[in-house]
Amino acid sequence: MDDLLIARSLFGTTMAFHIIFATIGVGLPFMILVAELLYQKTKDLDYVVMAKRWTKAFAVLLGVGIPTGTIAGVQLSLLWPGFMEVIGRVMPLPFQIEIYAFFVEALFMSIYVYAAERIAPWMRIASLIFVALGAIASAILITNVHAFQGTPAGFRYENGQYLEIDPWAAFFNPSFFVTAGHVALSAYVVGAFVVGAVAAFKIRKQSVGSREYLFHKKALHLSLVIGCLFALFTALNGHSAAQYLHQYQPEKLAAAEGLFETQSHAPLAIGGFTDKETQEVKWALEIPWALSFLSGNSFDTVVVGLNDFPEEYWPPLFIHTLFNGMVGIGTLLILIPLLVFAWRKILKRKTYPKPLLWTLVMCGPLAVLAIEFGWVFACTGRQPWVIYRILSTAESATTATNLATLFILFIAVYIVLGIAVVAVLLYFFRKNSVLDDIERAEKKDVPLFSTNT
């Protein structure tokens, strides 16, 4: 492996690990907010217990997300100095504002945890709203740097110089709103289905009609409603994302669909793999004219193929598989909740068969996997550029060598962190059962978020 590949692999591994905690760290506060709203409306203690337990999990995940995010920031400076030089001149605002977003999130989470029983209900809601806003703002601001990489704006590049710099124009680059919408919606999908996966797993172990069964059943239904709704919104946003790729990064769209020849009435290739030699997507299911319609809302929209670009500008062709994996999982996350609702409403079934429960358990990991596919697709599909058509990845990389040792050490760190976070969560929830938390909530003299629990 050459040093450039090791640098990309090291940073990619860091982001692949960090994005799990960052995404759940955005989706879980929203779930906590919804549970708190339902409690204030219904006074059903099950919902406030859900909020408490999810808050504890959120604190553990945040404890890992913060250091891994810090590692990612340090690696950006050390591994990609050329890139950070441009960002420092043209696009500093997201990093600067993100500090305040995190401050808001941490401050109001502290208020909610330590003063929930001492403040008015509207203040509890307000504190959680600020937590959720701070979390999603942090994600959007950092993701905006990625949006800028794909659609750079706010400066003029001439003879290696960055001139007429406008930081706000760079901030509100052409793909800002599409990218911000996609990261927010997909994070809420992940948060909901991770909660639903845990609830389905717990239901599988409980006797029908027991107190814990009913508790986890409520959590499952809540997560399925929210997850299905936001999965549908994510799919609609994906349509806008395809149109922005058609306009701003046509070779990325062409590689995602394995399209080599420029054409109108272009087909949409589902499944299969891209064969560079034969210039086709083998074993794919093609939907005639669909890609043209997705790209421009018209079947006669001309979609540019890869052969219209120099081959050195082609993204890796395996991004077709990543794109299909992301879209395929997203489709399942819409259909599976609909199947559950149909099972209950149409067939009038009150219990769930084990295969259905196991399917719901798998929805959590699948949602996380879709995020991983989407992130790798977004970044790898921009190659060979770190800033599209301005700065190549090779030009922005560090000149340091012998990075393999660091790569191995960081992988070891992530393995230890991963094992530790799972062990801590298992220990806490085994020590504090649902019945224990419900009992504490029913005792007016015991604070719901007592640090002794």
Side-chain angles (χ1 to χ4, degrees), residues 23-331:
T23 304
I24 299 176
V26 173
L28 205 50
F30 182 80
M31 295 295 294
I32 297 168
L33 173 61
V34 173
E36 179 69 33
L37 286 169
L38 288 172
Y39 167 68
Q40 297 297 343
K41 179 178 175 59
T42 66
K43 298 305 177 184
D44 185 339
L45 285 175
D46 283 357
Y47 290 116
V48 79
V49 170
M50 289 178 202
K52 176 212 172 174
R53 293 173 70 84
W54 297 343
T55 299
K56 295 288 188 178
F58 173 67
V60 175
L61 297 174
L62 194 64
V64 179
I66 292 173
T68 55
T70 303
I71 291 172
V74 172
Q75 287 183 359
L76 274 175
S77 299
L78 296 180
L79 298 177
W80 311 105
F83 169 66
M84 290 305 293
E85 181 183 1
V86 179
I87 293 299
R89 292 182 180 180
V90 181
M91 190 64 169
L93 289 174
F95 290 104
Q96 296 168 349
I97 302 173
E98 197 271 339
I99 297 172
Y100 297 98
F102 177 74
F103 174 77
V104 168
E105 178 185 4
L107 173 63
F108 284 95
M109 178 54 73
S110 299
I111 293 173
Y112 180 67
V113 169
Y114 292 105
E117 283 75 28
R118 302 182 185 90
I119 57 179
W122 71 267
M123 295 178 70
R124 291 170 63 149
I125 299 298
S127 63
L128 281 177
I129 288 174
F130 280 110
V131 171
L133 288 176
I136 193 59
S138 293
I140 288 173
L141 288 164
I142 296 303
T143 308
N144 190 24
V145 178
H146 163 73
F148 171 81
Q149 291 177 261
T151 54
F155 66 95
R156 181 167 58 86
Y157 183 71
E158 185 176 304
N159 298 325
Q161 300 294 317
Y162 297 90
L163 309 173
E164 300 176 13
I165 294 172
D166 183 348
W168 284 112
F171 186 94
F172 292 106
N173 59 82
S175 62
F176 167 72
F177 290 105
V178 171
T179 306
H182 201 72
V183 70
L185 295 171
S186 58
Y188 294 149
V189 172
V190 172
F193 278 105
V194 166
V195 167
V198 174
F201 184 80
K202 292 292 186 179
I203 287 174
R204 188 186 59 85
K205 291 186 170 185
Q206 304 301 323
S207 58
V208 177
S210 68
R211 188 70 181 86
E212 289 194 53
Y213 180 92
L214 295 175
F215 174 88
H216 292 300
K217 186 177 177 182
K218 289 179 185 177
L220 177 62
H221 291 173
L222 176 62
S223 66
L224 289 180
V225 170
I226 293 175
C228 182
L229 184 64
F230 280 105
L232 180 59
F233 289 156
T234 303
L236 296 175
N237 174 267
H239 175 59
S240 299
Q243 292 183 329
Y244 111 80
L245 285 180
H246 170 68
Q247 182 176 0
Y248 293 104
Q249 291 180 274
E251 63 266 52
K252 185 175 181 178
L253 179 63
E257 289 301 328
L259 186 73
F260 288 87
E261 298 298 333
T262 299
Q263 56 190 282
S264 63
H265 302 84
L268 183 69
I270 300 176
F273 71 94
T274 306
D275 189 325
K276 183 177 179 181
E277 293 184 2
T278 61
Q279 295 199 350
E280 63 178 345
V281 182
K282 290 189 174 180
W283 302 321
L285 173 65
E286 287 194 351
I287 302 177
W289 305 0
L291 181 58
S292 287
F293 183 80
L294 288 174
S295 300
N297 294 328
S298 173
F299 292 121
D300 59 2
T301 299
V302 175
V303 182
V304 181
L306 286 171
N307 287 334
D308 278 21
F309 303 97
E311 189 171 332
E312 59 268 24
Y313 288 178
W314 290 9
L317 298 183
F318 65 77
I319 67 170
H320 170 74
T321 302
L322 296 173
F323 181 75
N324 275 263
M326 175 184 65
V327 173
I329 293 173
T331 303

